[in-house]
Amino acid sequence: MSERRIRDAEALSPFMGTMLAVVLAILFVPLVIIILLSFNTSPYGTFPFIATLKWYRALFTDSGLLGPTWLSVELSLAVAASSALLGTMAAVWLDRRSSRIGGPIFRLSLLSAITVPWLILGLAMLLVVNAVGLGRSLFSIYLGLVATTLPYVVFIVAARLHALDRDLDHAARSLGASPFASFLRVSAPLILPSILSGTLLSFMVSFNNFLIQYFLAPFGVQTLPLKIYTLIRTGYLPDLNALATLIVGVTCVMIAILHRLGMRNAGLPGGSAL
């Protein structure tokens, strides 16, 4: 009788199953349509469907999308690397050196960067960079994106550090290792999957963050989100669908890597905290 109740509790009701199907359709049907349109001869998505690769050739030959794409990739790589370094340092301080007052205040500051809508953050950052004299520039975009992505790395790495067995560090210290050597040779390899996960997450958030880039971008500088926004307003060819298909493929690879890192992290002591 108890097993039957457990199966009934775990089973989805017809209503919940229908709602789940509707949500998944809203998420994935547009992606499938974009992928199909990137292989269709007609630039307007009309039938009959005739398969072609001309939009992919156009993307790599006479399209104006590659420049903004590479700019977004380079900017996101710089942001992800900075967030990984600063976020790991902040996580170590938060887990091992923060005071009873400083730690909660720092956590609250990081949570505000996640919970406050990006529209408000973008406007506030624009006011700040204008007040300090930086103005709208590529460097301002970089600073704004680092501030936006930093909390993700801090919370992921801090959770992993909190789950580590402190006796491992104490054992290294008792054998004569300095605090830095103990962290580098004992703690760092154990938290490496979390650092890489936070870095990949920072890259994806930075690459897709339209609002921060929109508020802080100077005139004439177009990242990929800004370029897509301009094309949608004026009209675009299916070469944008081809680029979107490639981005979906790369995103799937990154998700697979994140999943792999999570599985590897689960096999370490305290890995379930990730």
Side-chain angles (χ1 to χ4, degrees):
M1 185 67 178
S2 60
E3 293 181 358
R4 180 178 179 182
R5 290 181 178 178
I6 293 175
R7 289 197 299 268
D8 292 340
E10 293 177 347
L12 286 176
S13 65
F15 174 76
M16 292 299 297
T18 302
M19 292 300 298
L20 178 60
V22 170
V23 172
L24 292 178
I26 293 175
L27 286 174
F28 293 107
V29 169
L31 294 179
V32 174
I33 292 175
I34 287 178
I35 294 173
L36 291 177
L37 291 180
S38 69
F39 293 100
N40 193 13
T41 300
S42 173
Y44 309 106
T46 57
F47 291 100
F49 180 88
I50 302 176
T52 183
L53 293 177
K54 69 176 182 178
W55 303 119
Y56 289 88
R57 290 193 295 267
L59 174 64
F60 290 101
T61 55
D62 56 357
S63 174
L65 295 171
L66 292 184
T69 300
W70 288 120
L71 177 60
S72 290
V73 170
E74 293 171 359
L75 181 62
S76 299
L77 286 174
V79 170
S82 301
S83 296
L85 177 62
L86 298 176
T88 302
M89 295 171 60
V92 172
W93 174 85
L94 188 63
D95 182 69
R96 301 184 178 181
R97 295 289 186 267
S98 63
S99 62
R100 293 184 177 179
I101 299 177
I105 293 177
F106 185 59
R107 284 190 176 92
L108 184 61
S109 301
L110 294 176
L111 281 174
S112 65
I114 296 177
T115 57
V116 173
W118 285 342
L119 178 65
I120 307 300
L121 284 178
L123 179 59
M125 290 176 181
L126 177 60
L127 296 176
V128 169
V129 296
N130 286 334
V132 300
L134 287 176
R136 302 177 64 171
S137 63
L138 199 59
F139 184 64
S140 297
I141 300 177
Y142 164 78
L143 293 178
L145 292 176
V146 169
T148 304
T149 59
L150 185 65
Y152 298 98
V153 180
V154 175
F155 285 129
I156 292 175
V157 177
R160 183 70 183 98
L161 281 170
H162 183 71
L164 289 182
D165 187 354
R166 295 295 180 89
D167 291 339
L168 297 175
D169 182 68
H170 294 161
R173 296 292 303 279
S174 67
L175 293 174
S178 64
F180 178 75
S182 174
F183 173 79
L184 191 64
R185 303 188 65 177
V186 177
S187 298
L190 293 175
I191 65 174
L192 182 59
S194 295
I195 296 175
L196 295 178
S197 299
T199 302
L200 289 176
L201 185 60
S202 298
F203 178 87
M204 290 188 288
V205 171
S206 173
F207 189 85
N208 294 298
N209 198 319
F210 166 76
L211 286 172
I212 301 298
Q213 299 177 26
Y214 178 78
F215 278 105
L216 301 180
F219 178 78
V221 173
Q222 281 192 323
T223 58
L224 182 60
L226 299 179
K227 181 66 174 179
I228 293 176
Y229 174 71
T230 302
L231 292 176
I232 290 177
R233 296 176 62 188
T234 59
Y236 67 93
L237 292 174
D239 54 355
L240 182 56
N241 296 333
L243 178 61
T245 301
L246 296 178
I247 292 176
V248 169
V250 173
T251 303
C252 292
V253 172
M254 296 182 70
I255 292 175
I257 294 174
L258 282 173
H259 177 71
R260 181 65 177 175
L261 291 174
M263 295 295 292
R264 180 178 300 178
N265 191 76
L268 298 175
S272 59
L274 180 59

